[in-house]
Amino acid sequence: MIDVSSLQFLLLILTGWLDRREREVLAHLMEENRLLRRQLGSRRLRLTDDDRRRLAARAHRLGRRALREVASIATRTRCFAGVGS
């Protein structure tokens, strides 16, 4: 029979590994966005209504505070602009 404290320890290790992995993936995507933005230069990114809807849905789930930390291409307000029009 598995001891409860051993199971809790195993879950703690697994949770820590998953959290670290998620942070590494997010850091990679943020750096990738910086590089793409630099290549884009001063040219404006053209978003379709579908693009805006998809970004708005993700932004809504993320929340304003977290979005300020990770948004690189469009802000939440900009994502919602034109949605439904």
Side-chain angles (χ1 to χ4, degrees), residues 32-43:
E32 196 174 73
N33 282 343
R34 280 188 205 102
L35 294 171
L36 292 172
R37 244 189 6 256
R38 190 178 73 218
Q39 288 180 7
L40 188 61
S42 61
R43 290 178 287 167

Side-chain angles (χ1 to χ4, degrees), residues 72-85:
S72 59
I73 294 176
T75 63
R76 184 174 184 200
T77 306
R78 186 171 170 192
C79 289
F80 282 119
V83 173
S85 58

Side-chain angles (χ1 to χ4, degrees), residues 41-52:
S42 61
R43 290 178 287 167
R44 184 175 173 198
L45 183 63
R46 304 277 181 186
L47 299 175
T48 65
D49 285 344
D50 188 50
D51 294 336
R52 286 188 195 92

Side-chain angles (χ1 to χ4, degrees), residues 3-74:
D3 183 24
V4 173
S5 62
S6 297
L7 184 59
Q8 288 175 332
F9 182 69
L10 182 63
L11 288 174
L12 181 65
I13 290 173
L14 180 62
T15 303
W17 179 80
L18 290 172
D19 183 52
R20 185 172 35 252
R21 175 89 171 132
E22 185 177 281
R23 281 185 278 131
E24 289 171 0
V25 168
L26 181 60
H28 172 79
L29 291 174
M30 289 172 68
E31 185 61 29
E32 196 174 73
N33 282 343
R34 280 188 205 102
L35 294 171
L36 292 172
R37 244 189 6 256
R38 190 178 73 218
Q39 288 180 7
L40 188 61
S42 61
R43 290 178 287 167
R44 184 175 173 198
L45 183 63
R46 304 277 181 186
L47 299 175
T48 65
D49 285 344
D50 188 50
D51 294 336
R52 286 188 195 92
R53 280 187 206 94
R54 291 175 61 153
L55 284 174
R58 294 280 182 187
H60 180 72
R61 280 185 249 145
L62 194 57
R64 286 183 189 272
R65 187 177 307 161
L67 185 63
R68 270 186 244 128
E69 295 174 11
V70 298
S72 59
I73 294 176

